[in-house]
Amino acid sequence: MVCGLAAAAAVVLAAGAALPAVAADGESSRPAPGASGAGDAYFPFAGNGGYDAVHYDLDLRYQPPAPAPAPLTGQLTAVATVTIVPTRHLTSFDLDLRGLTVESVVVKDRPAEFTRSGDELVITPKTILPRGRAVDVVVTYHGATGRPLDIEGALYGWVTTRDGAMVASEPEGSMTWYPVSDHPTDKATYDVAVTVPEGRVAVGNGDLVGSSTANGWTTWEWSSREPMASYLVTASVGNYELRQWTTPDGLPIIDAIDRDLAPAASAGLAQTAEMIAFFETRFGPYPFSSYGAIVDDDSVGYALETQTRPIYSRSASEGTVAHELAHQWMGNSVSPERWSDIWLNEGWASYAEWLWSEHDGRTTAAENFADVMAIPATSSFWQTVIADPGPLGLFAGAVYDRGAATLYALRQEIGGEAFDALSVEWPTRYKDSVATTDDFQALAEELSGQDLEAFFDAWVWTAGKPALP
Ligand code: ARG
Ligand code: ZN
C-alpha cells in the first residue's frame, strides 16, 4: 500500500505537477533533500532534517578482540532498520554515520542510492518519500571497531575493550556504531539484538527480551518502549554477571557486573532501591519501566547515564550512582533541546547528589553550596557561562558545580514550596521530550509568580561569580 502510493506520487512529479501542498509548518511542500543537521550550533551535522526517526531495530553481531597482544579491535556486522516519518516530501535524506562500511541501503523494500560525506550517510530512495508516511530504511554495514574520541579527546561511542565494548555515546557518538539521527530532539524507541561469542554478555537499555545460543554464539535481545535520545543508547559487551532483582516498589532491576571486578567495585549500588524511592519524593515517579547498572572492568574515564542502565568505569561510587540515577528524570526523560542546555542535565544531577548526601547523613546541601561559593571570584571556574559553555565546555566542572549551586540558589530565590513543585513539574511537563534553559526559566516563573530574568542572567547567562541571593 505504501509503495503504491509513493509510486503514484513519483508519477505525478514526473509529469511536472507539484505534490499536494500539505506542509502546514512553514516548510515548503516542494520535494527536497532533508537537512544534514538538526540545527545544533555545537554539533551542526548531528541529527538530520526532513524526517523524524521513530524506531530503531538494531541487529548486531560482534566479535571482540583476541587476547593481548592482539590489537584492540573488534568486528561489527550489522543490519539497522530505522523507521522514519518524513516531515516534508523528501527526495533524499541523511543518517549520521562515522566510519564503518555500508554494504547496502534499502528503502521501502527497494535498493536505494547512497553516498558518504563526512559523518553523513546520504540516501536517495528510488521514489520521493511523501510527508507523514512512515518508511523503513534498512542499512547493512560492517567494520573494524576501535576507540573513538569526542571533540575533547575523551573516549566515546563504541569503545572496544579487551573483553568486549563499553558503549557510551554522549554527545554524538552513537554514529560510531549505527546509522542514526544523532541528536536528542529526535528520540525513538529501540529493539537491539547483539550476538556475541558464547560466554560474553551484551547489555542494552530497557527490558531483557531474552537470550539464545546456537553454534557458539549468544544473541541478547533488549527492548526500550520509552523514547530515548541517541546518546543514551548502549549495547555494552563484557564478561558480565547479570543480577536480576526487583525493588520493594516492584521496579525490575538488571545489573551487569564485570566478573573480573572485586565486589567492592559495585558496593555503591547497594542503596539503589532507597535512592529511587528518595528521588521519587523529589522528582516524581521514576520515568521508565526498568533500571540497573553496567559496571565494566575497563574504563572510558567517566560514568554515563545510559537510559535505564547507566554504565560505570571500573567502579560505581555511591555519589556517582545517585548522580546517574537522578539523570533518568533530569536529562533522560527531559533532555536538552540543544547541547548548550547541558547544565540542565549536569546541574540537576549534581544537585541531586547533594540531596542524597544530606539525606544519607553526610555533607549537607548547604555545605556543598558553601564549598562552591568559597571558590574565589578570580578563579577561572566562574568564567564558564553554564547556559552556553561551548562544545569544548560541555563537561566543564562549572557546568556541574555552578549548575548545582544555581539550583540551590534558585530554591532560596523562589522558596521551598515553589522549588519543590518545579522539581516535579520539570520532568513531568517535558516527559519523553526536550526543553531549553528558557523553558526552565519560564516554568520557574510560572510556578513562583516571580520575574527571574535577573537571577538567570547572573547565574547561568553571565560569566563571573554571582552575588548570593
Ligand atoms: N553525562 C556524564 C555524567 O556526568 C558525563 C559524560 C562525559 N562524556 C564525555 N564525552 N566526556 O554522568
Ligand atoms: Zn552527569
Side-chain angles (χ1 to χ4, degrees):
M1 179 185 76
V2 173
C3 287
L5 282 170
V11 168
V12 170
L13 192 82
L19 283 163
V22 292
D25 58 4
E27 273 192 67
S28 163
S29 61
R30 195 180 297 276
S36 57
D40 195 298
Y42 289 10
F43 301 95
F45 295 103
N48 300 286
Y51 66 88
D52 279 335
V54 296
H55 183 75
Y56 293 83
D57 193 308
L58 306 180
D59 196 345
L60 315 171
R61 186 182 177 93
Y62 181 57
Q63 172 69 65
L72 204 47
T73 175
Q75 289 294 329
L76 197 60
T77 311
V79 180
T81 303
V82 188
T83 306
I84 68 167
V85 179
T87 53
R88 59 169 305 143
H89 302 315
L90 278 179
T91 53
S92 69
F93 63 94
D94 289 14
L95 287 163
D96 303 312
L97 187 67
R98 181 179 298 164
L100 300 164
T101 301
V102 174
E103 293 158 41
S104 68
V105 179
V106 172
V107 180
K108 288 198 295 187
D109 302 320
R110 297 179 69 186
E113 302 284 333
F114 63 91
T115 59
R116 306 290 297 272
S117 168
D119 292 339
E120 303 296 313
L121 169 63
V122 183
I123 298 170
T124 306
K126 286 255 194 288
T127 59
I128 287 161
L129 304 182
R131 183 185 201 259
R133 204 167 289 274
V135 293
D136 283 349
V137 180
V138 183
V139 181
T140 302
Y141 62 101
H142 70 268
T145 66
R147 295 179 49 95
L149 302 176
D150 68 11
I151 56 165
E152 284 190 85
L155 288 166
Y156 84 149
W158 187 282
V159 178
T160 307
T161 61
R162 189 51 71 183
D163 61 7
M166 284 186 81
V167 182
S169 301
E170 190 179 19
E172 29 67 276
S174 279
M175 66 170 86
T176 67
W177 62 282
Y178 66 96
V180 54
S181 183
D182 206 357
H183 194 266
T185 46
D186 202 355
K187 293 188 181 189
T189 54
Y190 282 77
D191 286 303
V192 179
V194 190
T195 301
V196 291
E198 187 175 355
R200 304 293 163 94
V201 179
V203 185
N205 313 85
D207 309 323
L208 178 59
V209 177
S211 68
S212 59
T213 300
N215 306 319
W217 291 82
T218 302
T219 300
W220 297 86
E221 287 180 71
W222 298 85
S223 176
S224 298
R225 291 299 114 196
E226 292 115 353
M228 174 158 55
S230 52
Y231 75 95
L232 299 169
V233 182
T234 193
S236 295
V237 177
N239 288 316
Y240 304 125
E241 177 193 340
L242 284 185
R243 298 183 190 158
Q244 308 200 35
W245 54 285
T246 304
T247 68
D249 293 334
L251 184 71
I253 311 283
I254 302 179
D255 294 321
I257 313 295
D258 204 302
R259 294 178 189 277
D260 301 324
L261 287 168
S266 51
L269 301 176
Q271 293 182 82
T272 296
E274 289 84 349
M275 285 182 190
I276 294 171
F278 173 66
F279 287 138
E280 287 191 322
T281 69
R282 300 305 166 111
F283 306 145
Y286 175 76
F288 304 117
S289 63
S290 64
Y291 194 58
I294 304 167
V295 189
D296 200 287
D297 68 334
D298 215 306
S299 173
V300 292
Y302 53 84
L304 181 66
E305 63 269 23
T306 30
Q307 191 155 302
T308 70
R309 200 144 291 115
I311 186 160
Y312 301 87
S313 291
R314 300 214 172 109
S315 83
S317 72
E318 189 178 321
T320 307
V321 170
H323 181 108
E324 309 311 337
L325 173 58
H327 269 311
Q328 305 305 311
W329 289 261
M330 308 301 195
N332 296 8
S333 189
V334 49
S335 305
E337 184 165 326
R338 309 159 304 207
W339 282 108
S340 54
D341 298 310
I342 186 72
W343 82 275
L344 290 166
N345 282 16
E346 302 307 343
W348 269 113
S350 303
Y351 179 71
E353 273 185 76
W354 295 3
L355 295 180
W356 173 256
S357 169
E358 176 167 325
H359 177 78
D360 210 34
R362 290 175 286 109
T363 312
T364 65
E367 288 164 345
N368 270 309
F369 179 71
D371 280 353
V372 175
M373 298 314 286
I375 298 172
T378 50
S379 167
S380 63
F381 173 87
W382 297 109
Q383 291 314 305
T384 300
V385 176
I386 62 170
D388 192 7
L392 295 170
L394 280 187
F395 305 110
V399 169
Y400 290 70
D401 297 338
R402 183 176 178 162
T406 297
L407 294 166
Y408 186 93
L410 180 61
R411 193 170 205 276
Q412 312 306 305
E413 185 79 12
I414 66 177
E417 203 179 315
F419 186 85
D420 292 348
L422 176 64
S423 307
V424 174
E425 186 61 15
W426 176 244
T428 303
R429 187 169 301 183
Y430 293 100
K431 183 176 168 59
D432 296 331
S433 186
V434 291
T436 65
T437 298
D438 285 347
D439 292 329
F440 184 65
Q441 181 184 328
L443 187 60
E445 291 181 337
E446 177 189 322
L447 295 174
S448 67
Q450 284 174 237
D451 179 349
L452 297 169
E453 194 67 22
F455 177 91
F456 276 88
D457 217 46
W459 281 86
V460 310
W461 290 113
T462 310
K465 186 173 179 175
L468 287 172

